[in-house]
Amino acid sequence: AAALGVEPRDAKSWRNFITSLFDLAAKNGNVGIKQLQAYTRNLDFAHRPDREVKFSGALSHEEKIVFQDWVMHECCKQAHDRGWPHQIHAGTHNLTQSSPLPLGALAERYPKMKLVLLHCWPFLVEAGFLAKHKPNVYLDACWQTILNPAYMEQALSEWLGYMPAAKIMCSQDATSIEMAAGSIGITRRLLPQALVTQGRTWNLPDATLLSCASAILNNNAVAVYGVGMPCVS
């Protein structure tokens, strides 16, 4: 609040605060948003009118959920209007509440916001369903190779051939150089195996498989985030 010069107390000042925060982020080169709510609550963010929200003071658990819902939609409006992608953790933790299926409502309400579902395990089928049927939903298998390479194999088996390859990304989410190197090494071993299997199943030419590999490892992320350079297979 001190940095932005806005003290949020009610709906109007909170909107001003969030807009100022996004403006500052954009000024400093930000190209998207990310949130971690799946670690502490479900991903069903109801659209809340201002009158339902308590914006200050001591909040009960239920009031915090309502406030979080309101803030989520305000942030999604910003991402939608700015054309920013939105990364959301799904699965891997808090499994009783981290299914990505409720996020379909956000994808529909904010069609200019690319929704990138991170991790996704064990909700691989649910995440795949959203990516197939929602034009602005993408999947990133990051962390799967670190949890267990078998999860990555399972994800590729579920996703390839079901949804467009343009919807799949493989970042690392590593916390050290060694972890990143190991993760990308595993990814580069498992992805060709999965693509070759698909190629044999559907009689796909090598050029198509190479194009899919380039897309999944690099070009899809370039298109979603608008940074970096695409590579040519």
Side-chain angles (χ1 to χ4, degrees):
L4 299 174
V6 180
E7 182 67 36
R9 298 182 182 278
D10 53 19
K12 181 178 179 180
S13 58
W14 265 105
R15 285 193 176 95
N16 290 338
F17 177 82
I18 292 171
T19 299
S20 298
L21 186 63
F22 273 70
D23 287 344
L24 180 62
K27 181 180 178 180
N28 285 280
N30 198 75
V31 297
I33 59 176
K34 177 181 180 180
Q35 61 97 354
L36 315 174
Q37 299 282 33
Y39 288 129
T40 57
R41 56 159 288 174
N42 64 49
L43 297 177
D44 187 4
F45 298 102
H47 187 259
R48 307 283 187 173
D50 294 353
R51 64 180 181 275
E52 290 185 6
V53 186
K54 184 176 180 180
F55 290 97
S56 62
L59 273 63
S60 67
H61 174 74
E62 291 74 18
E63 290 169 336
K64 289 179 181 178
I65 294 297
V66 172
F67 176 70
Q68 289 171 355
D69 290 348
W70 187 91
V71 170
M72 172 60 70
H73 281 271
E74 290 300 317
C75 289
C76 286
K77 289 177 188 175
Q78 293 283 337
H80 176 271
D81 293 344
R82 296 167 191 262
W84 283 5
H86 182 180
Q87 293 182 338
I88 296 188
H89 287 244
T92 73
H93 189 80
N94 192 25
L95 295 184
T96 60
Q97 300 189 80
S98 58
S99 169
L101 284 178
L103 296 173
L106 284 185
E108 291 181 3
R109 192 175 187 92
Y110 306 101
K112 295 181 181 178
M113 175 185 71
K114 294 183 176 71
L115 205 57
V116 182
L117 309 186
L118 304 177
H119 319 313
C120 300
W121 182 89
F123 302 105
L124 303 178
V125 174
E126 293 86 343
F129 172 82
L130 289 178
K132 179 177 176 65
H133 294 283
K134 306 298 181 185
N136 55 331
V137 172
Y138 298 78
L139 308 182
D140 191 331
C142 66
W143 200 248
Q144 289 181 9
T145 56
I146 296 167
L147 284 172
N148 186 342
Y151 298 162
M152 179 71 161
E153 290 183 283
Q154 183 183 359
L156 292 172
S157 177
E158 292 280 357
W159 296 345
L160 289 172
Y162 175 63
M163 72 187 72
K167 290 296 195 82
I168 304 171
M169 292 176 280
C170 292
S171 64
Q172 309 311 318
D173 207 15
T175 57
S176 68
I177 295 296
E178 294 80 5
M179 188 184 292
S183 181
I184 190 61
I186 294 170
T187 299
R188 288 178 177 271
R189 173 171 58 85
L190 297 180
L191 180 58
Q193 294 174 2
L195 288 172
V196 166
T197 298
Q198 288 292 317
R200 290 172 179 168
T201 300
W202 302 107
N203 195 28
L204 300 174
D206 290 345
T208 298
L209 301 181
L210 286 171
S211 178
C212 287
S214 296
I216 292 170
L217 292 174
N218 182 75
N219 295 349
N220 293 342
V222 171
V224 168
Y225 298 109
V227 296
M229 294 292 294
C231 62
V232 180
S233 303

